[in-house]
Each structure stands twice: as C-alpha cells, then as structure tokens.
C-alpha cells in the first residue's frame, strides 16, 4: 500500500463518519490475501460437529444485528429458534417512584449513621422503581421443518458447521443414497433469514413448515403464494400492558415440486431445491413510539429478498461480514487438537494443548458482536440477540453494572467501531429518560441510569436496593462514548455526544454529598455492585471505590472532550475541583485495594465475590497501572488473589483482562483455560455464566487482546502479557487510541516485528518489555519496529 492510500484514508477519517472506510483501507493487504481464499474458509474459522444439536446451547447462532436464529441442524426435524431484537414485553412506561425524592434524604442520613439495614428497608419501601422489575426480551418462536420419510443419515455422513468467516450455518448428510445440504444465513442487506435446501437427486426435497410461538397472543395463518404468517401482540410485563404488534412472515420459494397450504402450515413435496425466506418485525420505533407497521415491513423485506437467488443473498452476507471480520487476523499457533470438532475441543480444553481454540474464541467473539449489534439494531443484550424464552434469566436485558459494558470491550481495539453504534444510540435514549429520573427522583440536573435498562429505556433502581440502588450505570456507559472518539478521533461525532457526557457529570455535581466523617464528596445512597459489605444484610453504603473511579474517569473524559471541542472552560474547572474532592484509591489492612470508603474487605460475606468492581480502575480504566501507581497496582493484585480466579463466566473473563493489565500472561492464560473449558463454555461456544450469558464471550476476546497489546493514553504496549503457551504467533489489524493500527508478530516468546500506523499522526510511546521508544508518527505513515529492542527500520 502506498503512502497516498493512507492519506486518502486520513481525509476520509477527518471528514467524519468514515472511520470504517479508513479501517478497511488499512486492512487491505490482509483483506486481499483473505479475499483470494474467499469461499474456502480454512478449518480454523469453523465450529463443526458430528451430530445435531439436542440442547439450545448446542445450536449455532446466525444474526444480522436485528434478527437472529439458532440453527439446530436436525435431520428429519429441523428447528430454527427465532429472535427479533425489539420483541420485548410491555410498552412505554415511566418507572419513577413518586415517593423517592422525599425519602432519599432520610436514606442518606441512615447510611451516614451506619444504620444500613434501616436504610435498605426504607429504600425498598419508598425509593425503588414501580414496577420493581424491568421488561424482558422475548423469543419470537420457532420455525419447524419436518421431513416425512427421511431416514437416518448414513454412518459418518452427518456434519454441521458454523463458518464464522462467511457467517453461514450449514448441515450436510447423506440419507437413502441422497446428499442433502441445508444452509442458513441472516442478511443485513435484505433483512431476512434465508434457508436453502438442496439434494443431489431431483425431487427429493419434501417437508412441512410450521411456525410456533410461546407468545400468549398470536395466530398462525397460511397465505397464498407460499407464505405462512405468525402475527400477534407482545406479552405484558409486571403490569405494563403489551403495546407491540409483531409479525414473522415466511415464504417458500421452490424449484420443482408442489407447495401447498393447509390451515396453519405449508407442505412442500418433490422439490429439487428450496429457499425459505423469514422476515420479522415489530411495531417498535423508539422507546416512546410503537406506531411502526410490521406488516408493511415484513412484506417489503420478503418481496425484495425474493428477487434474489439464495446464492446472491449468501454471497452478499459473506462479503458484508468479511469486510468487518477480516480486519483482524490472529494466529496463536496450531496443534492437532484443532482438527477435532468444536465440542470435543471444548470438552478437552483444560487438559489439551490447543492454542488455536483461544484464537477461535477470539474470532467467535468478533463474529458474535458483528451478528448481534449493527447500526440501526438494538445493542447486544445479555444474550446478544439469541434467546429462546419469554422469561429468560435476568430478563435478557441490559445489566449495566458490568455486563453490557463488557459486551463492547472488544469493539474498539479489534476494529469494530460501527458495532458500538447501537450502544451509543441507547445512551442517547437513556440520557433523555434518565433526565426525567434525575429530576423527579433526585431533584438533580443532568441524567442518571441505575444498574439496568431495557427496550423502553427505564433508568430507575430495580430488583431490590442491594442490587439496584446504584446511580453509576449510565456514567460508566459514557466512557464507551469517549472511547469511540479516542480510538477514531472524529471530532464531529464527539460534539454530538458531548452534551450527554456533560449531563452525566451535572448529575454528580448536584448529588455528591460531603461525608460527615472524612469531608470527602461521595455518592449516597450507592453500593459496590452487588457485594454485601458485612455491615448488615445488604450492600448500601456511601462512596464505594468503584463510584469514585467511574466519576473520576467520567470527569476526565468530559474535560478532555471539552478541550478538544474548545468549550466550557468554567465547567471544566468545576469538574477538576470536584475530582480532587473524591475519595482516593486506597490500600487496606490486607494490602488490598479497598473496595469501600472504609476498610471492610476482610469482613465481607463472600470473599470470592464475582464482581471485582473496585478493580475497574485497572481495567477497563487505567487510573491504576503498574507504571504510574505501582503501589495501587500491587494492591489490585492482592485483591485479585483474595478474590480467586474462578467465578461466573463474565467474572472469569474480567479477571483475565485484569491479570493482563498486571502483565502476568501466564496467570491470565490459566484463567482463560478455565473460561474455555466445559464449565464455562457450552458446546456451541456460548459463554456459561451459567446459564448462557454472552458477556463472557466478549470479555474473553478482550482478555486475549489485552494479553497481546494494550493501548493506554498515548502508550502502545506490545506483548504486555504473552503467556509461555503461545511462543509464536501474530495478530494484525488491532486498533489503538489516537487512530492507530497495530500489526505484530512474535517468535520464541519475543517480539519479531510490529507495524504501527497513526492515521492522524502524533507522538506515541511504544513499549515492549522494558524497552520504550517515543516515536513521532507522520499521518498515515507506517513505522516498522523489529525485535524485542524495537529497532526502527
Ligand atoms: C449481574 C451479575 C449477575 C448476572 C446479572 C445479569 O447482576 O451480578 O452475575 O450476570 O448481572
């Protein structure tokens, strides 16, 4: 690639909104090489199996961000479990408790007096949201195909796979002397799921097609023209009536044979080849508007898709997916284990040497974000978009005291910034609904969102004060808005989100209160998610460490944003003054980082609690790090040792990132092995909390990135936590802050070569081990550094 190419991409970048164009140019050499192999994905991009899925956590996910399917790969009975990302329970609602504002001063006072149980009882009574729970994400239902007369597959002929490079699920088998293939894709361009059935013998395809749904109010009806329609109204939730209409429209397009309609199912007999198109929509337009027309939407989607042959739809899906997926490539080494099926590899991964499984997990994490979060869709929820229940665990919503944030950890460093757009759009919404909550619940300016939100952008505290009365969820999400700028450097975008950052700060300027004992400014009421501090039954407290860290990071990001945009100097002075009055990070009696304002850590109920909230300062933030704050970093290490390595899926993944930030690659790797084992990974490679929760997949992908490259401020740290288990390898296409791209390779446990480009130029400190080099980058001009001593070429 010539220098000119880079300056073109820089112009695109600076013009705003074109980060993607710039990124794809940067990725071009790889993309070309990969493009040559298009359609012939290597086994390294496959999850494959010798038997159909029996359980949902064995089925394979496809998705286009908005709609998705879990493909079971059955032989005589095939099931596609279907989702549409706006099909949630309930309708628009405002959960502010009208008694909250009057009760809060008393709750605050009780907490300052150490009367935590009384504070909790009062909060439970008067402060929490009405209703106490938020609405849940729901399944649409299933498309069921049954193939009368199709016998057992011939021995050894069955195989199903998910090609995460082509974004395609395929089932193949031979039965009765005929080879059958069924391929499923979810198309972002056509907005349909398309299923293609072929057979090696003419007229061999015959099946009944049904639609089934656990939704209470629905009907299924065969229409003319090979269509079957599932239509209904969504369920109520905790007293909030269902307000959405939904539709799933399927159309069968057959070559040869006959398609007939019974009352509520279709039959296909004697066909040579069949494509089934599935369109899904609801009437959701926004958290306040349910006036959409799912009938018109699904009709238009089916009509447009039906004009294209399946081959074209699938090629477009692959092309579109690869444009993002192939920006990054990874090689951590390969052993014979990689030739086994995915379920075998996962089952053996804690004892086998299978570095390629970690690489596959990394790539699968990227696949899952591309397929569950795209511009225009809802953000990836606790299960991405894949959920088979009308009553899923934790409502399959947005838990924003770690889980939703973790979903997006890999997005910027692994070059998928457009996948963050739905999250940014959601934050724009909760900044509106959260302004109502700030005003009516706290009498404060700005906006607030507690520990969960849903499709309707509810922002009040839910579930119980010990979980929900935590005013920090929205503030934490704001840091993703800042990161989007810091990685891409699009000032126009930054200007569009600046009022949101400012509003989040204003809420804290209005609600931080002086701790009568210490004089520090603290949050109250709050909690350290969701940890019981041992002083009473609950977790309510004032000024927990995580809150202070998040506010510090929020104020810093907002001040930086104001600086970039050259505005609000007085406001920045106010932020800086308040930042200096927050409780600092402190070391407790055990040498640990104190989780609370008081040194309560030794007396907690659960020493191994899954949340490691106070370690936020080390990761994802970097206000604590081994260089600038070595004592605090050592205290984090102590806290991690006390907490232990094994936790729920996401909590295990967080620990990997933290150990990587402490630059202990072998420790990070040993935890990664646990994450990849069958206790924390289902056969379909979904993360097991348990139950399935997708955050661990994304947190694990982020952890692998953090082991290989860390981007903090203007520093780029190469191989900061390389484990002995990956002596040689490479990763290409990573992004670092300041619009940088990083490719690196290593051999014998040492850096072989790094190639770094800053699209906008600037000074960066490149580091490998103890070697540091300060380099002034010219915009778009790649610098190549060789060997562990970073020799410049
Ligand atoms: C938080 C965690 C739980 C679970 C839930 C969805 O409340 O403490 O472990 O992940 O979110």
């Amino acid at each position: 690639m010539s220098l000119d190419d880079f300056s073109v991409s820089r112009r695109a970048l600076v013009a705003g909104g074109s980060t993607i164009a710039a990124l794809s140019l940067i990725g071009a050499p790889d993309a070309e090489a990969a493009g040559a192999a298009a359609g012939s994905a290597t086994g390294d991009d496959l999850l494959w199996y010798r038997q159909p899925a029996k359980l949902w956590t064995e089925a394979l996910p496809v998705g286009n961000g908005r709609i998705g399917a879990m493909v079971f790969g059955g032989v005589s009975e095939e099931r596609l479990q279907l989702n549409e990302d706006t099909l949630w329970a309930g309708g628009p609602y405002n959960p502010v408790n009208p008694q909250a504002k009057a009760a809060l001063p008393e709750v605050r006072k009780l907490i300052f007096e150490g009367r935590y149980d009384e504070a909790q009882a009062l909060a439970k009574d008067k402060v929490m949201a009405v209703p106490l729970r938020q609405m849940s994400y729901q399944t649409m239902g299933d498309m069921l195909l049954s193939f009368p007369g199709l016998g057992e597959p011939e021995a050894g002929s069955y195989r199903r796979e998910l090609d995460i490079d082509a974004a395609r699920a395929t089932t193949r088998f031979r039965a009765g002397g005929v080879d059958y293939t069924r391929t499923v894709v979810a198309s972002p361009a056509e907005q349909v799921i398309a299923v293609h059935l072929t057979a090696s013998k003419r007229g061999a395809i015959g099946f009944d097609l049904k639609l089934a749904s656990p939704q209470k109010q629905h009907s299924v009806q065969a229409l003319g023209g090979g269509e079957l329609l599932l239509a209904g109204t969504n369920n109520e939730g905790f007293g909030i009536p269902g307000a959405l209409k939904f539709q799933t429209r399927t159309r069968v397009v057959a070559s040869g044979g006959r398609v007939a309609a019974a009352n509520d199912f279709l039959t296909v007999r004697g066909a040579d080849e069949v494509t089934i198109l599935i369109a899904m929509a609801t009437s959701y337009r926004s958290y306040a508007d349910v006036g959409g027309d799912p009938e018109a939407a699904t009709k238009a989607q089916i009509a447009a898709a039906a004009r294209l042959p399946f081959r074209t739809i699938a090629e477009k899906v692959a092309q579109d997916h690869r444009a993002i997926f192939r920006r990054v490539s990874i090689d951590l080494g390969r052993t014979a284990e990689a030739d086994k099926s995915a379920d075998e590899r996962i089952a053996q991964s804690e004892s086998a040497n299978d570095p390629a499984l970690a690489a596959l997990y990394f790539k699968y994490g990227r696949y899952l974000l591309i397929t569950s979060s795209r511009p225009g869709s809802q953000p990836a929820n606790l299960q991405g978009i894949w959920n088979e229940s009308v009553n899923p665990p934790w409502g399959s919503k947005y838990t924003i005291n770690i889980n939703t944030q973790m979903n997006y950890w890999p997005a910027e460093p692994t070059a998928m910034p457009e996948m963050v757009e739905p999250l940014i759009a959601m934050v724009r919404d909760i900044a509106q609904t959260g302004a109502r909550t700030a005003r009516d619940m706290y009498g404060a300016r700005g906006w607030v969102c507690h520990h969960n939100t849903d499709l309707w952008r509810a922002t009040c505290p839910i579930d119980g004060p010990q979980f929900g009365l935590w005013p920090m969820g929205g503030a934490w999400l704001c840091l993703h808005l800042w990161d989007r700028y810091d990685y891409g450097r699009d000032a126009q975008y930054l200007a569009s989100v600046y009022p949101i950052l400012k509003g989040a700060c204003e809420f804290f300027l209005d609600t931080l209160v002086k701790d009568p004992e210490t004089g520090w400014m603290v949050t109250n009421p709050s909690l350290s998610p969701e940890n019981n501090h041992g002083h009473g039954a609950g977790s309510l407290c004032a000024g927990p460490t995580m809150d202070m860290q998040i506010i510090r990071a929020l104020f810093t990001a907002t001040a930086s944003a104001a600086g970039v945009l050259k505005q609000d100097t007085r406001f920045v002075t106010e932020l800086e003054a308040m930042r200096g009055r927050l409780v600092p990070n402190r070391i407790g009696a055990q040498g640990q980082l104190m989780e609370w304002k008081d040194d309560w850590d030794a007396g907690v109920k659960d020493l191994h609690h899954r949340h490691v909230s106070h370690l936020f300062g080390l990761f994802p933030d970097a206000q604590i790090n081994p260089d600038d704050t070595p004592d605090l970093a050592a205290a984090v290490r102590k806290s991690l040792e006390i907490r232990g390595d094994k936790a729920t899926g996401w909590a295990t993944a967080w620990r990997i990132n933290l150990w990587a930030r402490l630059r202990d690659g072998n420790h990070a790797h040993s935890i990664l092995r646990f994450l990849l084992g069958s206790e924390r990974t289902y056969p379909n490679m979904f993360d097991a909390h348990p139950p399935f929760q997708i955050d661990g997949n994304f947190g694990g992908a982020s952890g692998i990135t953090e082991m290989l490259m860390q981007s903090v401020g203007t520093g780029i740290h190469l191989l900061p936590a390389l484990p002995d288990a990956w002596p040689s390898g490479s990763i290409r296409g990573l992004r670092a802050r300041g619009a940088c791209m990083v490719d690196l390779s290593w051999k014998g446990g040492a850096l072989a070569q790094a190639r770094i480009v800053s699209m906008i130029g600037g000074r960066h400190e490149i580091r490998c081990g103890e070697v540091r080099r300060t380099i002034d980058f010219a915009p778009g001009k790649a610098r190549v550094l060789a060997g562990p001593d970073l020799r410049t070429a």
Side-chain angles (χ1 to χ4, degrees):
M1 183 185 298
S2 76
L3 276 183
D4 282 344
D5 294 334
F6 285 117
S7 46
V8 169
S9 12
R10 175 169 183 264
R11 275 201 302 280
L13 188 79
V14 171
S18 304
T19 329
I20 307 315
L23 284 168
S24 29
L25 266 178
I26 280 275
D30 282 338
E32 277 160 21
S40 63
T42 67
D44 295 342
D45 289 329
L46 296 178
L47 278 69
W48 66 271
Y49 305 83
R50 296 177 210 278
Q51 66 290 324
K54 286 202 187 78
L55 303 173
W56 189 85
T57 45
E58 294 167 3
L60 296 171
V62 295
N64 72 356
R66 188 182 68 84
I67 57 176
M70 293 293 283
V71 183
F72 280 65
V75 172
S76 59
E77 304 279 336
E78 170 61 309
R79 173 182 175 204
L80 264 68
Q81 183 269 313
L82 302 172
N83 286 107
E84 201 273 0
D85 71 354
T86 61
L87 183 52
W88 292 57
Y93 69 111
N94 173 8
V96 175
N97 186 331
Q99 302 188 82
K101 194 168 157 195
L104 272 168
E106 181 62 15
V107 173
R108 226 168 253 143
K109 182 166 163 281
L110 289 167
I111 288 174
F112 276 144
E113 289 170 0
R115 294 155 68 185
Y116 303 107
D117 283 345
E118 289 165 73
Q120 181 165 317
L122 180 59
K124 183 166 182 253
D125 216 26
K126 303 239 160 94
V127 175
M128 305 306 287
V130 185
L132 188 57
R133 310 220 177 266
Q134 291 175 354
M135 303 304 111
S136 63
Y137 178 51
Q138 311 253 302
T139 180
M140 178 69 81
D142 293 335
M143 183 185 81
L144 301 164
L145 305 178
S146 50
F147 298 82
L150 192 65
E152 283 294 300
E154 289 172 20
S157 73
Y158 180 93
R159 176 176 161 123
R160 73 186 164 102
E161 67 186 33
L162 179 68
D163 179 338
I164 59 172
D165 174 68
R168 175 187 303 165
T170 309
T171 307
R172 293 188 186 87
F173 56 88
R174 189 173 171 83
V178 181
D179 293 319
Y180 293 92
T181 308
R182 299 173 192 156
T183 309
V184 186
V185 297
S187 160
E190 270 63 54
Q191 289 294 324
V192 294
I193 288 170
V195 186
H196 190 225
L197 300 93
T198 65
S200 61
K201 193 176 134 205
R202 291 181 77 88
I205 301 174
F207 60 89
D208 296 343
L209 186 159
K210 293 189 174 147
L211 291 171
S213 177
Q215 293 288 332
K216 280 190 200 123
Q217 295 179 53
H218 78 271
S219 61
V220 177
Q221 192 193 352
L223 311 169
E227 286 195 5
L228 189 66
L229 180 72
L230 165 78
T233 308
N234 69 330
N235 292 332
E236 68 88 43
F238 306 105
I240 305 295
L244 291 170
K245 290 176 285 168
F246 63 80
Q247 285 204 354
T248 295
R249 183 181 299 272
T250 59
R251 184 188 290 182
V252 171
V253 184
S255 314
R258 299 174 318 279
V259 180
N263 221 0
D264 56 358
F265 67 98
L266 302 177
T267 59
V268 178
R269 294 290 182 271
D272 305 331
E273 181 183 337
V274 177
T275 299
I276 306 167
L277 302 169
I278 308 166
M280 292 179 261
T282 78
S283 54
Y284 183 83
R285 277 197 187 130
S286 77
Y287 67 85
D289 179 355
V290 292
D293 184 350
E295 165 119 0
T298 54
K299 273 186 176 163
Q301 288 156 354
I302 292 277
R307 285 197 273 277
L308 303 175
F310 175 81
R311 202 184 53 250
T312 308
I313 295 176
E315 270 166 19
K316 283 172 75 177
V317 167
Q319 225 170 34
D320 187 292
H321 181 75
R322 285 176 180 142
I324 306 163
F325 187 75
R326 288 186 176 178
R327 283 178 196 156
V328 177
S329 64
I330 185 170
D331 173 9
L332 299 176
R334 194 180 197 283
T335 61
E337 298 296 322
D339 298 326
K340 296 181 177 162
S341 63
D343 46 349
E344 284 175 283
R345 293 172 76 185
I346 291 161
Q348 297 165 6
S349 72
E350 285 196 80
S351 53
N353 173 23
D354 189 0
L357 186 65
L360 186 62
Y361 197 87
F362 171 90
K363 290 188 272 191
Y364 192 46
R366 296 189 68 248
Y367 169 85
L368 291 173
L369 198 62
I370 299 168
T371 51
S372 66
S373 182
R374 270 181 180 268
S377 80
Q378 294 298 310
N381 64 45
L382 286 174
Q383 299 188 183
I385 43 172
W386 301 280
N387 160 36
E388 69 166 338
S389 172
V390 287
N391 186 22
W394 291 285
S396 191
K397 352 182 254 292
Y398 301 102
T399 306
I400 55 174
N401 65 10
I402 173 65
N403 315 88
T404 303
Q405 287 89 347
M406 184 177 281
N407 283 1
Y408 288 89
W409 283 355
E412 302 290 349
T414 80
M416 306 185 287
E418 64 270 66
M419 273 63 247
V420 191
E421 279 188 22
L423 184 73
I424 296 169
M426 183 171 84
V427 179
R428 290 187 201 277
D429 288 351
I430 59 172
Q432 293 175 6
T433 55
R436 190 172 65 192
T437 302
R439 184 192 64 210
D440 297 346
M441 195 178 149
Y442 292 92
R445 292 174 301 158
W447 65 277
V448 62
C449 186
H450 293 79
H451 96 306
N452 263 254
T453 191
D454 60 11
L455 182 74
W456 310 107
R457 309 314 190 219
T459 51
C460 291
I462 60 158
D463 290 353
Q466 67 275 36
F467 310 110
L469 194 43
W470 185 69
M472 305 304 303
W476 187 350
L477 286 172
C478 281
L479 300 174
H480 289 253
L481 269 48
W482 167 254
D483 281 351
R484 173 75 190 270
Y485 167 77
D486 204 21
Y487 279 87
R489 297 298 170 102
D490 175 350
Q492 215 177 326
Y493 152 78
L494 185 65
S496 80
V497 294
Y498 178 74
I500 300 174
L501 300 183
K502 186 173 177 181
C505 294
E506 282 170 332
F507 173 78
F508 294 109
L509 290 175
D510 283 7
T511 57
L512 285 167
V513 283
K514 195 170 182 174
D515 177 37
E517 217 177 273
T518 63
W520 280 316
M521 297 299 282
V522 292
T523 46
N524 179 6
S526 192
L527 50 90
S528 187
E530 306 170 9
N531 202 359
N532 179 319
H533 47 55
H535 295 261
S539 57
L540 289 188
C541 66
T545 301
M546 182 189 226
D547 290 14
M548 301 292 103
Q549 293 177 347
I550 292 177
I551 295 172
R552 208 173 284 127
L554 172 70
F555 284 6
T556 304
T558 307
S560 306
V564 172
L565 301 170
K566 297 193 176 48
Q567 64 189 73
D568 271 349
T569 35
R570 274 184 51 197
F571 185 67
V572 168
T573 313
E574 219 184 316
L575 291 182
E576 280 162 0
M578 186 58 94
R579 189 172 53 193
R581 300 176 66 191
L582 301 169
V583 190
N585 288 308
R586 283 169 314 143
I587 300 170
Q590 305 169 87
Q592 91 290 4
L593 189 77
M594 283 164 57
E595 182 163 353
W596 293 274
K597 181 169 66 64
D598 302 286
D599 194 355
W600 288 340
D601 297 50
V604 297
K605 268 223 177 111
D606 179 5
L607 277 180
H608 308 296
H609 198 261
R610 59 197 182 285
H611 287 264
V612 283
S613 305
H614 52 316
L615 311 188
F616 164 91
L618 178 75
F619 188 88
D621 199 52
Q623 58 192 263
I624 299 176
N625 66 74
D627 294 327
D628 304 322
T629 60
D631 294 347
L632 292 174
V636 169
R637 174 181 281 263
K638 186 73 199 170
S639 293
L640 276 173
E641 284 164 4
I642 295 169
R643 279 294 218 271
D645 293 343
K646 294 191 174 181
T648 60
W650 62 262
T652 303
W654 196 350
R655 283 156 171 76
I656 298 169
N657 289 270
L658 288 161
W659 281 103
R661 280 283 169 100
L662 290 174
R663 303 173 190 162
D664 191 332
N666 286 339
H667 201 131
H669 184 260
S670 75
I671 304 176
L672 178 64
R673 275 192 109 139
F674 173 64
L675 185 68
L676 296 185
S678 47
E679 272 183 68
R680 289 292 174 272
T681 298
Y682 291 109
N684 65 359
M685 225 183 213
F686 270 173
D687 166 59
H689 179 287
F692 164 50
Q693 209 168 280
I694 205 160
D695 39 20
N697 286 100
F698 298 129
S702 166
I704 293 166
T705 312
E706 289 292 317
M707 290 162 78
L708 302 174
M709 194 275 292
Q710 290 172 17
S711 165
V712 172
T714 55
I716 298 175
H717 197 156
L718 308 172
L719 303 179
L722 185 68
D724 297 339
W726 304 337
S728 298
S730 66
I731 187 156
R732 297 207 171 81
L734 292 179
R735 292 167 87 221
R737 291 170 193 273
C740 294
M741 305 290 301
V742 182
D743 296 349
L744 51 111
S745 58
W746 63 95
K747 276 203 181 75
L751 185 77
Q753 197 184 74
R755 181 177 179 280
I756 303 171
V757 187
S758 166
M759 305 299 289
I760 56 169
R763 176 168 292 188
H764 290 272
E765 184 180 82
I766 314 300
R767 173 167 184 190
C768 183
E770 291 313 312
V771 180
R772 297 156 194 256
R773 219 170 273 298
T774 300
I775 297 182
D776 287 310
F777 285 85
K781 187 171 182 327
R783 297 292 295 266
V784 176
L785 305 170
D789 51 350
L790 303 177
R791 289 186 312 275
T792 46

